[in-house]
Amino acid sequence: PYIDRWVRTARMFTRSLELNEFDPARLIDAEPLFRAAVEMFPAAVAIQVFPNVEEDSCITVFSKRIPTDVLSGDDIREDIIGSDIDDALAATHVSRTYIGNADRSVIMDEYLLTIGVPWVRPDGKIGAVIVRLTLRNLCNEVYIDTQNVGQRWYVVDAAGHILSSRDGIPTNESRNTE
């Protein structure tokens, strides 16, 4: 339900682009809109808007929580953007929502998740909004929603490796949980 909440938020954003018949030629003019979206979406560390998934042009907005000196190098930007961007674009190209696997950002020292949502333009072309989210925020949301005293919350992968936790266990631990 928590990841679905993020997907619905990203879909609302793409729906807004569709309803306003956003002009891809004015993509750069809309940067303040995208910046506001990434800042009001606490789990988001980056949003990429692709007017056409068949082209490379996009606008990328990073959260202000990421220091600007960190974003200076291409490998660092890719560390935050993620390695599954091509998979996200391929899914949105056929009008499917994409939810990636969690991958570790060395720069941010935490796990990030990619969500891609298709955007249908008035001319019939498919665009995409790709959001990178922190799993730390996922743990916080689960904790806030349930707030049971004495319980610990973990986000684990399919093998049982801890990706994030509410009680402060470092995300770089690779021990298994039961």
Side-chain angles (χ1 to χ4, degrees):
Y2 298 95
I3 291 175
D4 187 52
R5 184 182 313 159
W6 290 341
V7 170
R8 284 193 316 268
T9 302
R11 278 196 192 126
M12 285 181 355
F13 187 68
T14 58
R15 188 70 180 134
S16 164
L17 292 172
E18 291 168 10
L19 291 174
N20 292 313
E21 297 184 0
F22 178 75
D23 180 3
R26 294 185 27 239
L27 187 62
I28 197 69
D29 296 337
E31 185 174 349
L33 168 69
F34 304 138
R35 184 157 306 287
V38 79
E39 294 308 326
M40 72 179 218
F41 198 12
V45 294
I47 291 180
Q48 289 185 284
V49 180
F50 291 82
N52 186 344
V53 295
E54 295 177 356
E55 298 172 4
D56 285 338
S57 66
C58 74
I59 188 164
T60 303
V61 178
F62 294 95
S63 168
K64 289 180 184 172
R65 296 180 305 273
I66 302 171
T68 52
D69 61 328
V70 167
L71 297 173
S72 58
D74 285 341
D75 348 334
I76 294 170
R77 291 173 71 92
E78 187 169 317
D79 174 79
I80 294 170
I81 292 299
S83 58
D84 57 350
I85 190 75
D86 291 335
D87 294 338
L89 289 173
T92 56
H93 186 261
V94 292
S95 298
R96 283 194 349 241
T97 297
Y98 174 82
I99 300 174
N101 293 317
D103 62 338
R104 185 163 181 69
S105 165
V106 176
I107 300 303
M108 297 189 68
D109 191 30
E110 64 181 286
Y111 283 87
L112 302 176
L113 180 71
T114 302
I115 293 178
V117 179
W119 156 37
V120 180
R121 293 183 9 200
D123 60 6
K125 293 185 178 176
I126 305 290
V129 173
I130 312 258
V131 183
R132 286 286 281 175
L133 306 159
T134 69
L135 287 184
R136 184 175 300 157
N137 276 57
L138 174 62
C139 256
N140 287 340
E141 285 185 30
V142 172
Y143 176 77
I144 289 166
D145 279 0
T146 56
Q147 290 203 7
N148 291 327
V149 179
Q151 292 187 351
R152 292 184 175 174
W153 296 100
Y154 301 96
V155 176
V156 296
D157 66 10
H161 297 104
I162 298 172
L163 304 180
S164 186
S165 73
R166 173 65 186 167
D167 66 350
I169 290 177
T171 57
N172 59 359
E173 286 192 21
S174 60
R175 64 187 172 107
N176 287 337
T177 60
E178 290 188 49

